[in-house]
Amino acid sequence: MQICFIGYLTTMLKGPAAFNYLKNAFANHFGSPSDALTSLPLTAQWISSIWHGKDQEWNEHKNSLLALTSDENPYQGHLPSAALRTAGSLMVKTNGNIVTSVPSAATNTGNQQPECNGERVDLLVRLRLLKLVSGISGITEESLPETLKLNLSRLRAVQAQIQKIIVISTSILVFRQILMSEQALVNPVEMESIVVRCGKEVLELLDRSEEAGVEEIVEIMSEFSRDGEEASNTNKLQARKAVMSWMSLQAGDTAFERISHAVYLATRGVVLAGNGPQGRKLAEMALRRMGAVDLSDRVVAAAEILVAVATV
C-alpha cells in the first residue's frame, strides 16, 4: 500500500504539478508575497542590490530581442577585442559538437519556461540570481537569503557550469589564435574540426577533474595538430606552450573579462527570454562572438535552473 502511495506521489510531483506544489509550499512557509518586505528581510535586501542596474539590463535585453526580429546582430557596434572578432569571423558549420558528447553539470528540464515580461519582482529576482552565479567567489550559505538556502547545491552547480563555459571559451579562443599564427591550416573547416576536438578534450578534463588548472589545459592544447596527431616538432611545442602560458583565467585580465561578459550575456538571454527559440538565439549570438557557439546547450541548461529557482 505504501509503495503504491509513493508511486502515486511520484507521478503527481512531476512537471507542472511539482512546480505548483513548490510554489504553494513556499507561500505556506513564508507567507503572502505582499508581506515579503517584513517576512523576508534578507531577501528584500539581497534583491535591492540589483535595483539601480535593472533598467539598463532590461533595455539591453529588449534591444537584443528587437534585433532578432529584424535579423540584425544585437551586438553590432559593441564588438570586443581583435582576438574575439577574429574568433567569431572564423566560425563555420561543422558536424562536431562539443556539448552533446560531454555530460553537463546542469540538467535540461525539457519544459518550456516562461520569459520575463518586465514585471518588477520577477525581473529583479532573475537578474540577481544571474549576478550571483556569475560571480567568481564561490557561493556559500551565508551569501544566500532565507528563500534560497535550500537551493545552495543547485546554485553552486550552475556557477560551476558557467565557470567551465568561460574556461573552455577562453581555451578555444587562444587555441584558434595559435593555429592562425602558425598558418599551418589553410582550410577553415579543417581548422575548426581540430578546434572542436581540442575543445572537447579540455571540456572532458574539466568535467573529470575539479582541480584541473591552466597547466593541464595548456598541455592538452599544445599537442594538437593536423588530423589530431601530436605535434612532433619540439620547438613548436615549446612555442605553443609559451603562448598559452599567457592565457589568464583571473579577474582583471582584459580578454578574460570580455569572455566572461559574453557568457553573461548568453546566460541572460535565456534567463530573461526563456529556453525557447528566442532565448537560445540570444545565447548563440553572444557565444558566436568568441567562437564557442557549440556551448549553447550548456548555457541553456544552466539558465533553466536559474529560471526554475526564480519562478518558484
Side-chain angles (χ1 to χ4, degrees):
M1 185 68 177
Q2 289 179 340
I3 295 177
C4 292
F5 181 68
I6 292 174
Y8 171 76
L9 287 179
T10 301
T11 303
M12 290 295 294
L13 296 180
K14 288 183 178 179
F19 183 73
N20 291 331
Y21 172 81
L22 289 174
K23 290 186 69 173
N24 293 332
F26 184 89
N28 291 335
H29 184 76
F30 291 107
S32 171
S34 60
D35 301 325
L37 289 178
T38 55
S39 62
L40 302 172
L42 294 179
T43 301
Q45 182 180 1
W46 183 77
I47 293 176
S48 65
S49 63
I50 197 69
W51 177 266
H52 295 293
K54 67 177 178 62
D55 290 336
Q56 178 180 346
E57 298 258 15
W58 179 244
N59 288 333
E60 289 178 0
H61 174 67
K62 289 194 298 182
N63 290 337
S64 297
L65 289 176
L66 288 174
L68 278 181
T69 59
S70 59
D71 294 325
E72 295 177 0
N73 189 335
Y75 305 108
Q76 188 174 4
H78 301 280
L79 289 174
S81 64
L84 291 185
R85 287 202 299 272
T86 302
S89 65
L90 278 175
M91 281 305 295
V92 295
K93 185 175 291 187
T94 67
N95 293 326
N97 192 312
I98 296 174
V99 177
T100 56
S101 58
V102 181
S104 171
T107 302
N108 193 298
T109 64
N111 298 320
Q112 187 77 17
Q113 292 180 313
E115 65 176 317
C116 178
N117 59 13
E119 191 275 324
R120 185 179 61 180
V121 174
D122 183 34
L123 176 62
L124 286 169
V125 172
R126 293 192 192 211
L127 288 176
R128 188 62 182 88
L129 282 170
L130 177 59
K131 293 285 187 182
L132 176 69
V133 299
S134 298
I136 296 179
S137 301
I139 300 174
T140 63
E141 186 174 356
E142 292 72 25
S143 64
L144 297 177
E146 55 271 272
T147 52
L148 292 177
K149 293 187 182 298
L150 292 178
N151 287 295
L152 175 60
S153 60
R154 290 183 178 181
L155 294 174
R156 279 178 173 172
V158 174
Q159 185 181 47
Q161 183 71 357
I162 289 177
Q163 290 176 350
K164 285 181 183 179
I165 293 170
I166 293 172
V167 171
I168 189 63
S169 299
T170 305
S171 303
I172 289 173
L173 176 65
V174 172
F175 185 58
R176 184 180 282 110
Q177 289 290 309
I178 289 175
L179 291 180
M180 291 181 60
S181 66
E182 292 177 355
Q183 297 181 344
L185 299 170
V186 179
N187 188 334
V189 175
E190 183 182 6
M191 177 184 293
E192 195 62 27
S193 176
I194 292 178
V195 170
V196 168
R197 290 201 303 271
C198 178
K200 177 182 176 181
E201 287 205 17
V202 174
L203 195 53
E204 288 175 344
L205 169 68
L206 297 177
D207 280 337
R208 185 172 61 249
S209 173
E210 295 181 357
E211 303 300 324
V214 174
E215 290 186 4
E216 291 84 355
I217 295 174
V218 167
E219 193 65 31
I220 289 176
M221 295 166 60
S222 63
E223 295 179 354
F224 266 84
S225 62
R226 184 185 294 265
D227 298 326
E229 298 176 356
E230 291 188 359
S232 58
N233 188 312
T234 303
N235 292 332
K236 180 182 287 188
L237 271 174
Q238 295 304 319
R240 283 188 177 187
K241 288 183 178 181
V243 173
M244 293 174 187
S245 64
W246 300 339
M247 183 173 67
S248 174
L249 300 176
Q250 301 293 328
D253 178 79
T254 302
F256 180 76
E257 292 288 350
R258 290 181 181 276
I259 292 173
S260 299
H261 184 62
V263 174
Y264 175 87
L265 292 178
T267 311
R268 188 185 68 183
V270 183
V271 167
L272 297 183
N275 59 354
Q278 284 190 324
R280 180 173 289 276
K281 287 180 181 178
L282 289 177
E284 290 175 351
M285 282 185 174
L287 294 173
R288 186 172 290 111
R289 296 167 59 193
M290 51 191 176
V293 70
D294 282 330
L295 297 172
S296 59
D297 283 347
R298 284 188 172 240
V299 170
V300 172
E304 284 180 337
I305 296 179
L306 296 182
V307 175
V309 173
T311 50
V312 167

